[in-house]
Amino acid sequence: MLPPAARLAARRLLGLASASASEAAGRRLASSPIAAAGYSAAASRGSVSSTRPFSTALNYHLDSPENKPDMKWEFSEANMKKVNEILSHYPSNYKQSGIIPLLDLAQQQHGGWVPVAAMDAIAKIVEVAPIRVYEVATFYTMFNRTKVGKYHLLVCGTTPCMIRGSREIEDTLLEHLGVKRNEVTSDGLFSVGEMECMGCCVNAPMIAVADYSKGSEGYTYNYYEDLTPKRVVEIVEMLRRGETPPRGTQHPERKNCGPAGGNTTLLGEPKPPPCRDLDAC
């Protein structure tokens, strides 16, 4: 008899395998209109198990007119200087150590996402097989592989922010912008995604705004904390007007991560420990 944890893991793996097989069958059948219609009818009857999305992002590549390997892509002249500066931090036989910062730079240059042609260009620069870049880009969720808005809004979904209302913040953003998660508004300005722990739980709930509107030269990434549904809409409208909202806490009585109204403890110098003569050290 397997222990409970092992049984749970086995059930999870079987569920993943079933979902993957179902999705693959759907893609194979979709090439035939007749077969695709039959597959859709079977799915509507419940004969085919539906797939469950285990990620908010696409986990495989599909060629499109704006994202395919045979497209020409290269770093700008200004960014090539940054590429050389990044690679100078690593030994010449470990250029692949620069893949993450180079992907980040490519994403900034390309308006917030990394096409497969950019990954191929990076592979040539660091002298590795393209798959070595693909596996990094697909592992780290901060690399976007489909289009995002010029202002990419990331809502923290970890427990402290969720308890403090992050779901309401996300719902407000989606309703105000008229999009679903990871969709881009019709004007190309905004998209909304989710991010796990931004490390500022004391100021929950919060969002991060990746600003790609000015290219890699003017790229910024700022936190907006202590949010309310009303305040997050105000921030969006300020960005729409080209203004720069004050980053950090949005609570009028707080300074950085300090308590509203000022400290109530630690008002003076702490007493030294009685067991040590600190002056003698």
Side-chain angles (χ1 to χ4, degrees), residues 213-249:
S213 63
K214 303 177 184 67
S216 54
E217 293 300 323
Y219 170 74
T220 60
Y221 185 88
N222 288 316
Y223 282 1
Y224 298 89
E225 306 146 11
D226 289 311
L227 291 172
T228 63
K230 178 183 176 182
R231 182 55 183 163
V232 80
V233 170
E234 292 173 350
I235 290 172
V236 165
E237 292 308 309
M238 290 178 72
L239 293 171
R240 193 191 301 276
R241 295 191 297 267
E243 301 173 11
T244 304
R247 60 183 175 82
T249 180

Side-chain angles (χ1 to χ4, degrees), residues 57 100 103 107 134-145:
I100 288 179
L103 281 169
Q107 180 163 281
Y134 301 163
E135 61 191 10
V136 175
T138 55
F139 181 82
Y140 291 104
T141 57
M142 74 279 286
F143 296 126
N144 306 309
R145 292 179 295 112

Side-chain angles (χ1 to χ4, degrees), residues 160-218:
C161 277
M162 189 179 294
I163 292 172
R164 294 281 294 162
S166 66
R167 284 292 173 259
E168 189 178 359
I169 297 296
E170 182 183 36
D171 291 343
T172 299
L173 283 172
L174 297 177
E175 181 179 357
H176 181 71
L177 295 172
V179 295
K180 297 178 181 178
R181 187 187 290 179
N182 294 318
E183 285 184 347
V184 183
T185 55
S186 57
D187 58 9
L189 277 180
F190 296 99
S191 55
V192 180
E194 184 185 11
M195 185 176 177
E196 293 305 310
C197 194
M198 299 180 186
C200 201
C201 308
V202 69
N203 288 5
M206 62 179 296
I207 67 171
V209 177
D211 181 354
Y212 300 104
S213 63
K214 303 177 184 67
S216 54
E217 293 300 323

